Amino acid sequence: MTDTPQPSAPNAETPSAPVTPPAAEPLPTIVTPSNKEVVIIAEHFKGTLQPVTYELLGIGRDLADKLGGKLSCFLLGFNIKEQAQSLIAAGADEVYLADHPELELYRTLPYKRVITEFIKGWELPPHIVLLGSSTTGRDLAPRVAACLGTGLTADCTELDIGPYEHTNKADPDKLGIYPGCLYAIRPSFGESLKARILGPWNNPQMATARPGTFIPLKPDANRTGVVTDIPINLQGEDFRLSVLEIVHEISKGVDLADAEVIVSGGYGLGSADGFKLMEELAACFKNSGVGASRKVVDVGWIPYQNQIGQTGKTVRPKLYIACGISGAIQHRVGMDKSTTIIAINKDASAPIFKFAHHGIVGDVYQVVPELIAQLKAAQGSCPTVKEPALV
Amino acid sequence: MTTPQNVLVMIKQVPDQSAKAGINPDGTIDRAKAKRMLNPFDRFGLQGALTVKKLTGAKVTAITMGPPPAVEILLEALSQGVDKCILLSDRRLAASDTWATSYALSKVIEYTGPFDLIFCGLQTTDGDTAQVGPEIAERLNLPQVSYCEDFKLEDGKFLARRVMEGGHQWVSMAMPGLVTVANSYHHLEYPSIRGVQKVQRLQRDEEALKALIETVDLDIVKADPKECGLKGSPTIVARTDKVGELGGSCVLHQGETIPTMVRDVMGAASALKEFALA
Ligand SMILES: Cc1cc2nc3c(=O)[nH]c(=O)nc-3n(C[C@H](O)[C@H](O)[C@H](O)COP(=O)(O)OP(=O)(O)OC[C@H]3O[C@@H](n4cnc5c(N)ncnc54)[C@H](O)[C@@H]3O)c2cc1C
Ligand SMILES: Nc1ncnc2c1ncn2[C@@H]1O[C@H](COP(=O)(O)O)[C@@H](O)[C@H]1O
């Protein structure tokens, strides 16, 4: 029953704490069949490949090299052939291309059919399949995993390869040492834990990865690879859903993903008004934006688009100023790759001070106005806020 | 043309993270002590199902899988206007991952159904995967709309506004189908006093309550125990690590006057000046 954890929800009762096996019977090494291939499912919007795809190719290259296998990438769409070369330049050894008018826009069922039918036709399954944890990836990945009959770990922030010793006697058929497992690592429920989730018994091992988390390779036009056309056998039942219209909302201000400076506010601001002060501070910098913790989004002080963290955006600006944010793991995973982190919090023991680079223990309403004053003094003057810096 | 007459909503009880009780100092959860609540995301799924009821008069069933105290959230669902509830409770489900959970839940749905529309929350706050809904849809071979933030029923179709990066889309789904509702769905209503009173009355009338909340186990829903729980789960939590202290080199300023502390940080953090507007 779910009083014990889903894999993504470890808790004190997690049944698999590693214990030393009895010396008498060494564990067998179990190699689950796979062709060692790491497969990425590319995501594009009207033919434009999304950054998360390049990020996945970056980490995928690393995993494939560790396994000694190939890195391949599914590319489904219409009139999309040219994009295959950029996938190869970004690290793919082979691109599985499905070019068809019915695949122009992403839809769950046609995409799932093309991908799973192709993989099911292989003699050996791939070792790993990765998608982004975007709204598309989180829609498609569980369908592909359930169809292939394999496990899936959501929203990973780290991925690696390594061995796993299964010593849990509650499950005797599985006892053994499994080399080459996908370590899918994600923040867990609770404030300060990371969970390593494994699915070594079946291949492919699947995960989705947070956009913005992994680093793409430098595109190399000299890299060579193969483009393979794959079969497309869509069925009537795949068209039970149709896309009527797509509305692109032009965000005002700077997109947080591209901002060089982010000023973020948390529950310590005390009220929605505090975000005026955040905007004022952000307006002192070039190319800046305002971010937030989930708690202030949940209470409605600022829209969801500004949320940073595990269930919001992942950002890596040059400068991140956290104001009245405690620094919970779910917030941290969205911003801890920022080059410089400055935290302002009145509690000296707040977790944010464990990973910020510079900290000021004090009230945001005293510290931030002083910071604005000193920035203005140093630079001449800051323009007053004309347009909200919110995205 | 389909007018949905039978609607299902999937809800889960989760530990209440805002209550400190049951949260161990190392961040793990002691589920025996933790306070429990309805998964906050499932309010949106529940509201979606009840909105269909308002539109078509459909009958709404709620299903949850969990230990016996999960009956608490079913009572809450009844007070909101759900017509019938099923609780799947079985020790053999312990340590189920999303694959095993979606298997067990799809068996309950086959046992209880058929349904024209199945509503789920986008995700749970403890499992936090957003996988169970789409995995159920796959097992039952249903189309799905995930991240639904608004919908209408038109010409026998489910028209849904779905969140996407940088905007949204409108899609049209044939029924039966499965929907996961995003927390940007803005039509949340809270239980009425009458609803709450109705449930209070019910709690004093065991027979009536039994008629509304059916408790089932794996045998009743004809689920294979080998596909459930630890054995049936393709993934496990191999270990949890305390998150290390990054860099661990925070220069902390405290106890001095605000202007002094700010000046010190201005001096030390070159990025402040580098990115400031000239
Ligand atoms: C599944 C899941 C996903 C989550 N996803 C995210 C996510 O994407 N992003 C996210 O941010 N969180 C997320 N969370 C929530 C996260 O665990 C924290 O609850 C949240 O980040 C806390 O927000 P906060 O720091 O603003 O508030 P609090 O934890 O309440 O911290 C407020 C801080 O402000 C300080 N403070 C108070 N008054 C002042 C003042 N006047 N001046 C200075 N400091 C002051 C306090 O000392 C405190 O440290 C998630 C949680 C779960 C379970
Ligand atoms: N044990 C459960 N019982 C009923 N519904 C569930 C259960 N677990 C997950 N769900 C449904 O699936 C959704 C996604 O859950 P998750 O994949 O855990 O994030 C939830 O919002 C619920 O609607």
Side-chain angles (χ1 to χ4, degrees):
Chain A
M1 179 164 339
T2 41
D3 56 341
T4 31
Q6 304 217 341
S8 47
N11 63 29
E13 302 152 1
T14 300
S16 45
V19 286
T20 342
E25 22 175 330
L27 289 171
T29 295
I30 301 173
V31 179
T32 41
S34 93
N35 68 358
K36 294 196 179 164
E37 196 167 323
V38 176
V39 177
I40 309 292
I41 300 179
E43 191 177 315
H44 63 88
F45 181 70
K46 293 184 174 163
T48 309
L49 286 164
Q50 298 299 294
V52 69
T53 298
Y54 295 112
E55 295 158 17
L56 288 171
L57 286 168
I59 183 70
R61 186 70 265 167
D62 181 48
L63 300 176
D65 292 345
K66 282 183 181 156
L67 284 169
K70 174 164 100 176
L71 177 65
S72 62
C73 187
F74 276 96
L75 178 61
L76 279 61
F78 183 48
N79 286 334
I80 198 164
K81 271 198 183 74
E82 300 86 80
Q83 307 290 357
Q85 280 317 317
S86 54
L87 295 172
I88 290 169
D93 299 313
E94 181 161 5
V95 175
Y96 302 125
L97 179 70
D99 203 60
H100 192 279
E102 290 288 0
L103 298 174
E104 180 167 19
L105 293 174
Y106 168 73
R107 275 177 298 168
T108 319
L109 299 177
Y111 272 55
K112 182 210 76 184
R113 173 162 326 258
V114 171
I115 293 164
T116 56
E117 282 192 352
F118 185 60
I119 290 180
K120 281 180 174 172
W122 298 4
E123 208 170 302
L124 287 171
H127 202 78
I128 292 173
V129 175
L130 302 175
L131 293 90
S133 50
S134 55
T135 54
T136 304
R138 289 176 113 205
D139 187 80
L140 181 59
R143 298 286 309 221
V144 171
C147 182
L148 296 177
T150 198
L152 172 64
T153 304
D155 288 3
C156 295
T157 52
E158 292 168 49
L159 294 167
D160 204 351
I161 301 284
Y164 170 63
E165 265 182 47
H166 190 69
T167 54
N168 186 347
K169 298 255 169 40
D171 206 3
D173 317 343
K174 292 175 181 165
L175 292 177
I177 300 171
Y178 297 81
C181 300
L182 174 66
Y183 290 176
I185 299 165
R186 65 178 314 229
S188 76
F189 185 64
E191 298 285 305
S192 56
L193 290 178
K194 271 194 312 197
R196 183 189 284 177
I197 295 162
L198 303 181
W201 300 288
N202 263 331
N203 289 316
Q205 303 172 44
M206 286 186 63
T208 63
R210 295 199 38 88
T213 305
F214 295 101
I215 314 260
L217 302 176
K218 264 211 173 67
D220 177 358
N222 295 325
R223 212 191 297 269
T224 53
V226 187
V227 181
T228 307
D229 283 299
I230 63 170
I232 302 164
N233 296 308
L234 300 176
Q235 310 289 319
E237 63 168 26
D238 299 338
F239 303 109
R240 284 176 284 174
L241 181 140
S242 48
V243 177
L244 304 176
E245 76 168 315
I246 293 182
V247 182
H248 220 62
E249 283 147 15
I250 316 286
S251 57
K252 21 182 171 80
V254 179
D255 185 353
L256 286 182
D258 301 326
E260 283 185 302
V261 178
I262 294 178
V263 178
S264 268
Y267 201 64
L269 290 178
S271 75
D273 272 354
F275 278 97
K276 293 205 182 103
L277 189 61
M278 299 295 99
E279 283 164 28
E280 211 180 308
L281 178 55
C284 294
F285 301 99
K286 328 175 238 223
N287 193 8
S288 61
V290 171
S293 71
R294 164 141 159 209
K295 211 158 162 183
V296 296
V297 171
D298 285 350
V299 295
W301 295 351
I302 193 165
Y304 172 72
Q305 284 90 308
N306 298 73
Q307 182 181 317
I308 289 168
Q310 189 192 344
T311 39
K313 292 198 164 72
T314 301
V315 294
R316 53 172 91 230
K318 301 279 175 16
L319 175 61
Y320 190 93
I321 308 179
C323 306
I325 292 180
S326 60
I329 176 71
Q330 293 89 354
H331 187 76
R332 173 175 163 179
V333 295
M335 46 66 76
D336 64 9
K337 297 199 178 73
S338 308
T339 316
T340 301
I341 300 170
I342 298 177
I344 300 162
N345 193 304
K346 66 178 184 192
D347 174 6
S349 65
I352 189 111
F353 290 132
K354 302 243 166 67
F355 60 92
H357 302 100
H358 305 274
I360 296 180
V361 180
D363 188 322
V364 276
Y365 289 99
Q366 290 174 350
V367 176
V368 173
E370 177 65 25
L371 181 57
I372 293 172
Q374 292 200 19
L375 281 165
K376 283 183 178 171
Q379 300 295 334
S381 92
C382 274
T384 41
V385 202
K386 278 177 247 97
E387 247 183 290
L390 307 183
V391 297
Chain B
M1 190 149 127
T2 320
T3 308
Q5 289 306 328
N6 282 302
V7 175
L8 175 64
V9 57
M10 312 293 298
I11 58 180
K12 186 185 182 191
Q13 190 173 49
V14 297
D16 181 354
Q17 260 203 312
S18 59
K20 287 279 170 245
I23 313 284
N24 297 326
D26 66 355
T28 55
I29 298 158
D30 181 342
R31 288 191 190 225
K33 291 206 198 90
K35 283 196 142 184
R36 300 174 296 255
M37 62 189 227
L38 172 64
N39 171 34
F41 286 89
D42 290 347
R43 286 194 188 287
F44 300 96
L46 191 54
Q47 188 65 56
L50 293 170
T51 302
V52 176
K53 177 175 175 169
K54 240 189 235 167
L55 294 172
T56 73
K59 183 177 155 199
V60 179
T61 305
I63 291 182
T64 192
M65 158 178 148
V71 80
E72 294 158 6
I73 62 164
L74 296 178
L75 290 170
E76 196 174 335
L78 286 174
S79 73
Q80 299 257 58
V82 163
D83 301 288
K84 187 180 183 326
C85 298
I86 315 270
L87 168 63
L88 170 65
S89 208
D90 198 310
R91 298 213 147 265
R92 292 168 289 181
L93 287 163
S96 291
D97 72 355
T98 61
W99 157 267
T101 300
S102 65
Y103 169 73
L105 288 173
S106 62
K107 285 293 170 189
V108 192
I109 296 171
E110 280 170 358
Y111 163 81
T112 327
F115 297 99
D116 305 310
L117 277 171
I118 301 177
F119 283 91
C120 290
L122 177 65
Q123 64 196 66
T124 51
T125 53
D126 60 346
D128 184 33
T129 73
Q131 282 166 201
V132 169
E135 290 188 353
I136 290 173
E138 179 62 24
R139 287 174 180 281
L140 299 176
N141 186 23
L142 294 173
Q144 74 189 33
V145 178
S146 59
Y147 288 90
C148 172
E149 56 175 359
D150 206 354
F151 66 85
K152 46 193 178 194
L153 297 166
E154 224 173 81
D155 299 332
K157 291 277 166 56
F158 185 83
L159 298 194
R161 177 177 156 139
R162 177 177 186 274
V163 184
M164 284 172 62
E165 278 74 17
H168 64 263
Q169 60 181 184
W170 276 98
V171 298
S172 161
M173 179 178 73
M175 292 178 277
L178 183 140
V179 186
T180 79
V181 185
N183 52 355
S184 46
Y185 179 65
H186 274 311
H187 307 283
L188 218 52
E189 287 167 26
Y190 284 87
S192 65
I193 310 242
R194 275 181 53 205
V196 174
Q197 285 170 341
K198 189 182 102 190
V199 169
Q200 282 169 347
R201 272 198 307 280
L202 273 173
Q203 277 176 293
R204 291 190 293 269
D205 181 350
E206 222 172 284
E207 282 305 303
L209 200 60
K210 261 205 195 128
L212 292 178
I213 302 181
E214 183 184 357
T215 303
V216 296
D217 63 14
L218 292 177
D219 303 325
I220 294 175
V221 302
K222 299 197 170 64
D224 180 354
K226 285 198 294 298
E227 296 287 313
C228 300
L230 185 64
K231 278 203 173 63
S233 294
T235 61
I236 49 153
V237 180
R239 68 184 232 202
T240 52
D241 292 311
K242 279 209 85 150
V243 178
E245 299 178 9
L246 280 188
S249 55
C250 180
V251 191
L252 199 59
H253 300 269
Q254 58 182 320
E256 291 166 82
T257 66
I258 302 277
T260 310
M261 292 193 289
V262 170
R263 192 170 317 119
D264 289 349
V265 171
M266 288 277 290
S270 56
L272 277 173
K273 285 185 178 153
E274 190 183 329
F275 294 101
L277 286 166

